Structure formats: C-alpha cells, structure tokens
Amino acid sequence: MMVALLGATTLVLVAVAPWVLSAAAGGKNLKSPQKVEVDIIDDNFILRWNRSNESVGNVTFSFDYQKPGMDNWIKLSGCQNITSTKCNFSSLKLNVYEEIKLRIRAEKENTSSWYEVDSFTPFRKAQIGPPEVHLEAEDKAIVIHISPPGTKDGVMWALDGLSFTYSLVIWKNSSGVEERIENIYSRHKIYKLSPETTYCLKVKAALLTSWKIGVYSPVRCIKTTVENELPPPENIEVSVQNQNYVLKWDYAYANMTFQVQWLQRPRREDRLSPRV
C-alpha cells in the first residue's frame, strides 16, 4: 500500500516539474513595451518607453529599424539590450528627410512580440534646441554673439543654418521687468542701457519657413562697464538731390550735438594727369 502511494506521488512530481521550472526561471510570457516616444532635439535622437512587465526583473529591451525600400529589419545601434527605459541612437547615420520605422521588444529567457512605432520623418519631428550665446559688455550697451542651434557638423539644420531668426528677452537683474526684442541678428547690439548694471537675457531660434520655434537658451547675465566716452554715430549715409548733399546718421541718444569734417580727394582725371 505504501509502495503504491509512493509511486503515485512520484508520477505527480514528474508531471508538474516543467511548470515549476518555468515559473522559477521567469518564463511567463513577456508583454511588449508600450507608449514609445521619439524625442529629437537638433541632432540628438532619444527613445523613451514604458515597461509592461513591472513584476518581472532583469528584462532588457532592443530596437530594430527599417528605412524605405528595405524588406528586412536592422538592429538599432545604441538601443540593444537596454536595461532602462531610454536609449540614444544619435550615432545612426540617417537621411533626416526620409521616413524611418522602429520596433521594440522585451527580452529575458524568452522575448515579447514586437511593438511597432508609427513611422516618422526625423526633420519633421525634430525640435530646435537652444542657441549658444556669448556676451560682451560696454558701458551703455551689450553685444550679443549667437551661434545657431545644433553642432558644427550636424546634419539636421545643415541646409537651414542661414535661415534661423532669433528673438530675445532681456531684463535688468534688479527689477525683473522683461523686454522682448524680436528678429535680432546673429550679432546684435542692445543700446540705451545703464552703466555698471547687471542685465540678464535669453535667446531662442526659429525656422519660420518650417513653422519651427525653438526653446530659450539658458539665462546669461552680464554687468555693463563703467561709463565711457560717447560712442560714434552709426549707419552714416550720404544722399544727393540735385546739387544738395545730405548727410544722415543714427545715434543711440537724444539731445546731442555733432561735428562733421570733410576731406576732399583729388579727382580721377587729376590723379591720372602727368606732372610737369
């Protein structure tokens, strides 16, 4: 009687052993990752996603990509066997004007089914990052030098580097009252400032032809210098009307007087005539 019972018990153990081993190894079906987001800022390509297997440890994630005209999928460099929920594939050489498809799966001893991301064109999805800003202080002015967004050898804005427009917000550090200035140049000078005063500003870029507006640069602050001699007039123009010569110029301050000097140069025929 005891022998028979032992035999039955042995048979039951053999029957359940595969189930026990599978559960111990975490072999239950993995779910595909969800809510994959593609973030592109300038030439930085970032993927983020949500886990669907929170209770399962030691899961990694891998991406494949596919370009137009391709039947097969290729492993996405920088996004293989990732243990977190974020990866960077900026090193991949892409035609940013060409559509691309991505897919992701979870991996352990087994793998989940593939989750395909909606196809996208990198240039259309890309956001404009902050430009680089360098400041120079004068007594009553600040000179702003702006470098376009992206890297020097970047491909995202390679055809648009000269098409960027810039706008800035400036304020006196002690007051915080902001003044917005639109459509400045990559080298711009702000006049009518107070000497020995700290001003702060931030700059953003835009590509109006592509309906793209970037994010502001980090706030930069600079203190104007001790009051110096008056700056010279700018944008000097000479217009001729009949025999009247009119001299015009711009100046940063009102209620000023000016002094004009002239120097007569020899005429061309005088320069060419031989001396006796």
Side-chain angles (χ1 to χ4, degrees):
M1 186 69 176
M2 291 180 62
V3 174
L5 181 58
L6 180 61
T9 303
T10 303
L11 289 174
V12 171
L13 286 175
V14 172
V16 300
W19 179 86
V20 171
L21 290 174
S22 177
K28 63 181 181 180
N29 292 334
L30 291 176
K31 296 180 181 178
S32 303
Q34 301 292 323
K35 296 183 179 179
V36 179
E37 296 181 359
V38 183
D39 293 330
I40 304 176
I41 300 179
D42 299 333
D43 290 281
N44 294 316
F45 294 68
I46 304 294
L47 286 167
R48 294 181 174 87
W49 59 93
N50 289 349
R51 292 176 180 268
S52 298
N53 303 276
E54 296 292 346
S55 60
V56 181
N58 301 323
V59 176
T60 61
F61 304 92
S62 295
F63 274 89
D64 288 354
Y65 75 95
Q66 191 180 61
K67 294 192 291 187
M70 294 174 52
D71 295 326
N72 58 317
W73 290 84
I74 302 175
K75 292 183 181 299
L76 184 62
S77 176
C79 295
Q80 298 296 309
N81 307 120
I82 304 299
T83 57
S84 64
T85 55
K86 174 184 174 181
C87 69
N88 186 318
F89 65 107
S90 305
S91 61
L92 183 65
K93 303 302 181 184
L94 290 173
N95 181 343
V96 297
Y97 304 101
E98 204 172 60
E99 199 172 71
I100 184 175
K101 295 173 67 176
L102 300 174
R103 67 180 186 179
I104 181 177
R105 71 181 180 185
E107 302 165 334
K108 199 174 181 184
E109 284 81 4
N110 58 351
T111 61
S112 71
S113 58
W114 287 103
Y115 175 85
E116 291 197 16
V117 183
D118 292 337
S119 58
F120 62 94
T121 303
F123 182 81
R124 292 182 179 178
K125 200 169 187 65
Q127 303 175 58
I128 300 174
E132 185 176 338
V133 180
H134 176 71
L135 304 178
E136 295 179 15
E138 297 181 0
D139 57 341
K140 298 179 182 179
I142 294 175
V143 181
I144 306 170
H145 301 271
I146 305 172
S147 299
T151 58
K152 182 179 179 181
D153 300 322
V155 298
M156 187 61 70
W157 316 123
L159 302 180
D160 301 281
L162 299 178
S163 301
F164 281 112
T165 60
Y166 302 97
S167 60
L168 70 81
V169 175
I170 185 170
W171 62 93
K172 192 181 294 186
N173 192 42
S174 58
S175 68
V177 178
E178 295 185 348
E179 177 187 358
R180 188 178 303 273
I181 303 177
E182 301 288 347
N183 299 327
I184 66 172
Y185 297 101
S186 57
R187 185 186 185 278
H188 191 80
K189 193 171 186 177
I190 304 176
Y191 294 99
K192 300 182 180 180
L193 303 180
S194 302
E196 298 183 85
T197 305
T198 300
Y199 290 88
C200 298
L201 58 84
K202 54 185 179 180
V203 180
K204 67 179 178 181
L207 280 176
L208 301 182
T209 54
S210 303
W211 299 92
K212 291 181 179 291
I213 298 178
V215 296
Y216 278 109
S217 65
V219 174
R220 300 290 306 276
C221 297
I222 193 170
K223 186 176 182 179
T224 50
T225 61
V226 177
E227 188 169 4
N228 203 348
E229 62 182 14
L230 294 173
E234 295 187 335
N235 302 323
I236 299 173
E237 295 179 0
V238 178
S239 60
V240 180
Q241 300 175 352
N242 298 325
Q243 295 297 318
N244 298 318
Y245 293 82
V246 180
L247 184 65
K248 299 179 182 179
W249 61 88
D250 293 332
Y251 201 69
Y253 311 112
N255 303 321
M256 304 294 295
T257 59
F258 301 89
Q259 209 176 62
V260 179
Q261 296 179 342
W262 67 281
L263 177 66
Q264 184 177 10
R265 294 184 177 182
R267 295 176 300 174
R268 184 172 183 275
E269 51 266 34
D270 292 339
R271 295 200 305 269
L272 296 177
S273 59
R275 293 185 178 183
V276 179

